[in-house]
Amino acid sequence: MFYRKLILPVLAALVLTACGQTSISETSEQSGFVQVDGRHFVLDGERYYFVGTNFWYGAYLGSPGPEGDRERLLRELDNLKANGITNLRVLAASESSELMRAVQPALVEEPGEYNDNLLKGLDFLLAEMAKRDMKAVLYMNNFWQWSGGMSQYVAWLTGEPVMDPDKTGEWNAFMQNSARFYRMPEAQKWYRDVIKTIVTRTNSINGRRYNEDPTVMSWQLANEPRPGSDADGRPYFEHFKNWIHETAKYIDSLAPKQLVSTGNEGAMGALRDIELYREAHESPYVDYLTFHMWLKNWSWFDIHNPEATYESAMKEAYDYMNAHVDLANEMGKPIVLSEFGVERDQGRFEPGTSTQYRDDIYAAVFDLIHERAAAGDAIAGTNFWTWGGSGRAGQSDFMWAEGDDYTGDPPQEAQGLNSVFDTDASTLEVIRAHAEEMHALDKP
């Protein structure tokens, strides 16, 4: 049997306390590198299925600087592990920007200049995840504005004012501007410097090189990279496809033991054309597929009119999920639903408010994922959006300001919009139950 990027396990630690939280008190076996065998992940010779979350701010909490809170980070990791959540999708590179809603500080202060506190924060996060035998998916850029992202590279290179859709409302123009990034060789050199700096970094906490650390399951090219806007992106699709292939090949050359994925949303991130999605992901250096699903953002579900929209939204969701799993089966690659999220009932943001519809939608999504995985199909796991944990909004309008807690919702969205908080008992029960089902599939 051929395993893509085979490697033996290394050491770390995990024990469970009587109260259901994890504490790290002794050294035991850490699992090895996640590999690909056909349309499945394998880990230490067994199938690997997971329940994960988006935890984009993990390196921020791990920072020794003023943005950090290492005590909170340890509590969050323990809570995640206790609830069966073992795979974290994390922002590994952000760009300093004048964008109104971009997170501050940023890891890339300008091309070639890096924030040492955030690099050390990523070190701390990965070292603590290793102790808990958790896996990380690290994404290296962003099509959207909330972490600087591709439009910031365009601004650095051209000297033009950074295009800010939160001020102008011109989202079509913003997407076209972000996609210019793929066609700028100098911007690609800067981006590859970021990739090399992080992928080959030696962890200051445990001394491991990142590309030798089995905690890192995958390097992801970007968060939701698109060819451009739906209206005007088609002429630039070949540039997008070539960027995926060449960047994935470059990362593979630096980290041959680890996997590479794109971070793409699926058909909705490929000009709403699943055949273009297929074509963009045929590169042999893309080890597995990703897709996202946003019932509200794509106008399928209205939390203010849930009874009238729930049934049709779930039909759209099932069709979208099944189409992407079917395609992954055809392509012979695993696939991960690496973002999906739902608002709290009545569009509320506060912890403690009802999550009935969120719980129902999570359960329905998880049921289909488990059904397809149990049947041997290519779906391997999920990363729900997003983990808020003990974070709480600091402003009366729920919008993030520098110095506030990180809640999981990015700075351009209300804090609490899609976050699962540590007090959301009913949602956590849905997640725990699904984790038990998925982990039961690990052994053949």
Side-chain angles (χ1 to χ4, degrees):
M1 181 178 293
F2 174 71
Y3 290 157
R4 172 91 165 113
K5 302 179 179 177
L6 181 63
I7 192 67
L8 296 175
V10 294
L11 297 178
L14 168 68
V15 293
L16 295 177
T17 65
C19 66
Q21 295 287 303
T22 59
S23 66
I24 312 305
S25 61
E26 61 186 43
T27 300
S28 61
E29 193 91 346
Q30 181 190 354
S31 59
F33 288 85
V34 177
Q35 307 143 29
V36 168
D37 178 27
R39 63 189 191 190
H40 301 289
F41 292 134
V42 291
L43 180 61
D44 298 339
E46 296 179 344
R47 292 271 177 88
Y48 174 61
Y49 297 96
F50 65 85
V51 176
T53 189
N54 281 269
F55 192 58
W56 67 261
Y57 55 97
Y60 283 75
L61 289 186
S63 167
E67 63 279 352
D69 187 343
R70 289 183 170 182
E71 290 185 4
R72 178 187 167 193
L73 176 59
L74 299 182
R75 293 194 305 271
E76 301 291 9
L77 294 178
D78 287 346
N79 199 356
L80 289 161
K81 182 75 175 185
N83 283 287
I85 300 164
T86 58
N87 187 291
L88 306 182
R89 183 169 177 259
V90 176
L91 176 70
S94 51
E95 293 74 35
S96 184
S97 178
E98 295 181 2
L99 286 159
M100 182 172 70
R101 294 297 182 187
V103 66
Q104 297 293 343
L107 187 140
V108 185
E109 296 173 339
E110 59 183 68
E113 299 292 330
Y114 300 95
N115 183 309
D116 190 58
N117 281 337
L118 289 178
L119 287 171
K120 289 177 178 175
L122 190 56
D123 292 346
F124 187 83
L125 171 68
L126 291 176
E128 291 298 325
M129 288 180 65
K131 294 176 184 178
R132 293 158 177 80
D133 199 18
M134 303 172 86
K135 300 298 183 187
V137 175
L138 302 178
Y139 55 100
M140 309 294 288
N141 206 328
N142 198 344
F143 188 75
W144 304 111
Q145 79 281 19
W146 58 266
S147 64
M150 296 178 185
S151 279
Q152 184 57 50
Y153 280 96
V154 172
W156 277 334
L157 183 61
T158 63
E160 301 167 359
V162 66
M163 186 173 290
D164 195 335
D166 290 301
K167 292 180 178 178
T168 67
E170 296 177 359
W171 286 95
N172 186 78
F174 170 80
M175 288 187 277
Q176 289 297 98
N177 187 64
S178 282
R180 293 168 66 191
F181 167 76
Y182 310 127
R183 309 191 297 275
M184 293 180 164
E186 187 66 24
Q188 295 306 309
K189 290 180 183 178
W190 293 339
Y191 169 56
R192 289 194 176 199
D193 184 71
V194 174
I195 292 171
K196 185 175 182 179
T197 296
I198 296 174
V199 173
T200 64
R201 178 175 171 81
T202 297
N203 191 309
S204 62
I205 305 295
N206 59 23
R208 291 178 178 170
R209 284 174 64 94
Y210 278 27
N211 57 6
E212 293 286 345
D213 187 353
T215 307
V216 179
M217 168 181 156
S218 172
W219 300 100
Q220 204 161 83
L221 274 57
N223 178 56
E224 300 191 334
R226 291 184 171 195
S229 71
D230 292 343
D232 300 311
R234 191 168 289 267
Y236 305 108
F237 174 76
E238 289 299 321
H239 297 279
F240 174 69
K241 182 177 76 170
N242 183 65
W243 173 80
I244 286 177
H245 175 75
E246 293 298 330
T247 308
K249 182 179 180 180
Y250 179 67
I251 296 175
D252 180 79
S253 73
L254 298 175
K257 297 174 184 177
Q258 294 158 332
L259 305 180
V260 180
S261 52
T262 67
N264 183 259
E265 300 151 272
M268 292 294 284
L271 309 176
R272 300 176 182 252
D273 187 332
I274 199 166
E275 289 305 315
L276 290 181
Y277 170 76
R278 178 206 298 267
E279 186 178 343
H281 289 77
E282 286 176 339
S283 169
Y285 299 102
V286 175
D287 293 303
Y288 67 95
L289 309 180
T290 62
F291 71 118
H292 298 176
M293 186 174 67
W294 285 102
L295 281 73
K296 172 196 172 182
N297 297 3
W298 299 345
S299 300
W300 298 348
F301 180 64
D302 183 354
I303 196 64
H304 298 288
N305 191 17
E307 292 182 2
T309 57
Y310 178 84
E311 185 175 348
S312 60
M314 292 315 300
K315 181 182 185 303
E316 294 275 12
Y318 290 147
D319 289 347
Y320 194 76
M321 288 190 288
N322 282 321
H324 286 79
V325 176
D326 290 345
L327 178 62
N329 284 343
E330 294 171 14
M331 294 182 70
K333 294 185 178 186
I335 192 168
V336 173
L337 177 58
S338 55
E339 278 189 24
F340 73 99
V342 187
E343 293 175 88
R344 309 177 78 83
D345 292 344
Q346 288 86 50
R348 301 288 296 274
F349 307 132
E350 307 95 323
T353 53
S354 172
T355 58
Q356 177 185 340
Y357 276 97
R358 174 187 288 176
D359 296 347
D360 288 349
I361 290 170
Y362 268 44
V365 169
F366 286 153
D367 283 349
L368 181 59
I369 296 294
H370 178 259
E371 177 185 337
R372 296 295 307 257
D377 293 315
I379 187 69
T382 57
N383 297 87
F384 65 84
W385 186 282
T386 178
W387 181 253
S390 62
R392 298 294 184 264
Q395 310 298 319
S396 60
D397 64 357
F398 294 93
M399 298 307 293
W400 185 83
E402 191 169 356
D404 287 349
D405 284 354
Y406 302 105
T407 68
D409 297 294
Q412 90 280 11
E413 294 180 338
Q415 303 299 284
L417 179 68
N418 292 301
S419 290
V420 175
F421 293 112
D422 54 4
T423 52
D424 289 337
S426 59
T427 307
L428 290 173
E429 180 53 40
V430 171
I431 294 167
R432 277 195 302 273
H434 178 59
E436 291 176 4
E437 290 183 327
M438 294 300 287
H439 295 324
L441 298 176
D442 288 343
K443 293 180 173 56

